[in-house]
Amino acid sequence: MIILDGKKLRNEILAEIKREVSLLKFKPLFCDVLVGDDPVSAQYVNMKARSAESVGIAFHKANFPLSITTDELIKEIKVLNKIPNMCGIIIQLPLPEHINKQMALDSINSKLDVDCLGKIASEKFYSGFTAGEKGFPTVLACMALLDSLNLDNNPSTSLRTIKIIVLGQGLLVGKPVTALLKFRGLNPIVIRSKTENKEKIIKKADVIISGIGKGKYITGSMIKKGVVIIDAGTSESEGGIVGDVDLESVKDVAGYVSPVPGGVGPVTVAMLLNNVLTVAKQKSATSTNSAMAEFVDA
């Protein structure tokens, strides 16, 4: 079994982002909104801030007290929407229970919604994603790891001819990754909790993308030799965070596995910042076109 090194791929993606950011005529801003003082959430925000700054994207701090209301938070987000050079806003989840999560997410300008969790940005993704657009970062990370194997360079492993299975249809992984695979002309088989004979179907898979959040659900006896597993599931256990795959159990059967932690997670941060870069390039193109139009009209 070969472990797919998410940190290595993340670093490669970040290096390219840094190169492209350096070519921009302005310094893009990124904001991760934090409500309350949960130490784990704060740690995630700080990690994304460091990653952003490492590639030349400025981080705009927006921390609000636990006592803030939904209406007050929406007002603050609308202020963030209007900050010059802002190229990406996300909200660190989970939010406190008294906050209406969807209303808060929907208040982010859809053009700046780099998590694609607001209604407009989400609908745009499902209407037809193409390269060069924003997408769900975790899903883009799954595909980046899969693409890193260059399976399409070998006719016997082409993604168009092998059996791809998606476990689960959650809003953050299963549903959007299924849509993205279909946008690419592929025909994944979806397995839900009520799918009959799921074990028999899983056993025939050449590629498994899992985001069900059931710790160590996938074992060696469930898979065929050489299968590629992209593990986007996370669960808490006594030993910390674990994925949907029991790594010890599959190590002598699977061909490639993305581990948890260290697989999809690091690449997700890179793809989030790539979304920020996408917005920045769109802003840059818009401003250039506007300046050209003003020159022509003069």
Side-chain angles (χ1 to χ4, degrees):
M1 179 183 76
I2 297 176
I3 293 292
L4 294 174
D5 189 346
K7 293 180 180 178
K8 180 176 181 292
L9 181 56
R10 173 200 62 193
N11 292 342
E12 292 172 0
I13 295 170
L14 290 180
E16 177 59 20
I17 292 173
K18 184 174 183 178
R19 185 190 70 79
E20 292 201 53
V21 168
S22 71
L23 300 176
L24 295 171
K25 294 181 179 179
F26 69 96
K27 193 177 185 70
L29 274 174
F30 166 62
C31 179
D32 188 351
V33 175
L34 178 64
V35 177
D37 54 5
D38 178 72
V40 175
S41 291
Q43 184 178 357
Y44 280 126
V45 171
N46 290 335
M47 180 266 293
K48 280 176 270 192
R50 290 194 299 271
S51 295
E53 290 168 347
S54 73
V55 297
I57 296 172
F59 184 78
H60 183 87
K61 188 175 181 179
N63 296 357
F64 302 107
L66 186 62
S67 59
I68 196 170
T69 66
T70 298
D71 287 344
E72 289 169 341
L73 179 59
I74 289 172
K75 287 180 181 178
E76 294 289 355
I77 291 172
K78 287 183 177 179
V79 171
L80 295 173
N81 285 335
K82 297 177 181 178
I83 294 177
N85 297 341
M86 183 63 75
C87 293
I89 301 172
I90 67 172
I91 297 175
Q92 187 62 42
L93 302 176
L95 281 167
E97 290 185 3
H98 69 277
I99 299 289
N100 185 312
K101 181 180 76 172
Q102 198 58 51
M103 286 181 65
L105 291 169
D106 289 345
S107 69
I108 298 173
N109 183 317
S110 62
K111 293 180 180 179
L112 304 177
D113 182 0
V114 287
D115 253 348
C116 295
L117 296 179
K119 183 180 179 181
I120 295 175
S122 177
E123 288 179 349
K124 188 176 189 303
F125 172 85
Y126 284 111
S127 69
F129 174 86
T130 57
E133 296 180 344
K134 293 189 283 99
F136 291 84
T138 301
V139 172
L140 297 180
C142 290
M143 294 309 298
L145 282 164
L146 187 57
D147 288 339
S148 72
L149 298 177
N150 296 313
L151 297 179
D152 280 337
N153 288 342
N154 184 338
S156 65
T157 60
S158 170
L159 293 177
R160 292 183 181 275
T161 60
I162 62 177
K163 193 179 292 292
I164 303 173
I165 285 177
V166 177
L167 292 184
Q169 282 294 280
L171 296 177
L172 295 180
V173 181
K175 182 181 177 182
V177 84
T178 299
L180 185 53
L181 287 166
K182 289 180 178 179
F183 292 149
R184 290 178 57 165
L186 307 174
N187 294 295
I189 297 171
V190 173
I191 293 184
R192 299 176 173 84
S193 58
K194 295 182 180 180
T195 300
E196 295 183 1
N197 300 317
K198 60 172 70 73
E199 290 81 11
K200 188 178 293 186
I201 300 171
I202 292 171
K203 190 80 171 181
K204 295 178 179 179
D206 299 296
V207 173
I208 299 172
I209 301 176
S210 183
I212 56 177
K214 289 187 177 181
K216 300 185 178 182
Y217 171 78
I218 301 172
T219 61
S221 63
M222 296 172 63
I223 58 176
K224 78 174 186 180
K225 190 75 174 178
V227 66
V228 175
I229 309 176
I230 307 297
D231 188 353
T234 55
S235 308
E236 290 187 10
S237 72
E238 293 181 1
I241 299 295
V242 297
D244 293 344
V245 178
D246 185 340
L247 287 175
E248 184 63 27
S249 177
V250 306
K251 68 179 183 180
D252 295 325
V253 186
Y256 297 88
V257 178
S258 67
V260 176
V264 173
V267 185
T268 297
V269 175
M271 300 315 292
L272 171 67
L273 294 177
N274 196 59
N275 279 346
V276 176
L277 172 62
T278 295
V279 176
K281 290 194 290 189
Q282 290 169 347
K283 277 181 175 284
S284 181
T286 300
S287 62
T288 299
N289 291 338
S290 296
M292 183 61 70
E294 289 176 7
F295 174 78
V296 171
D297 292 339

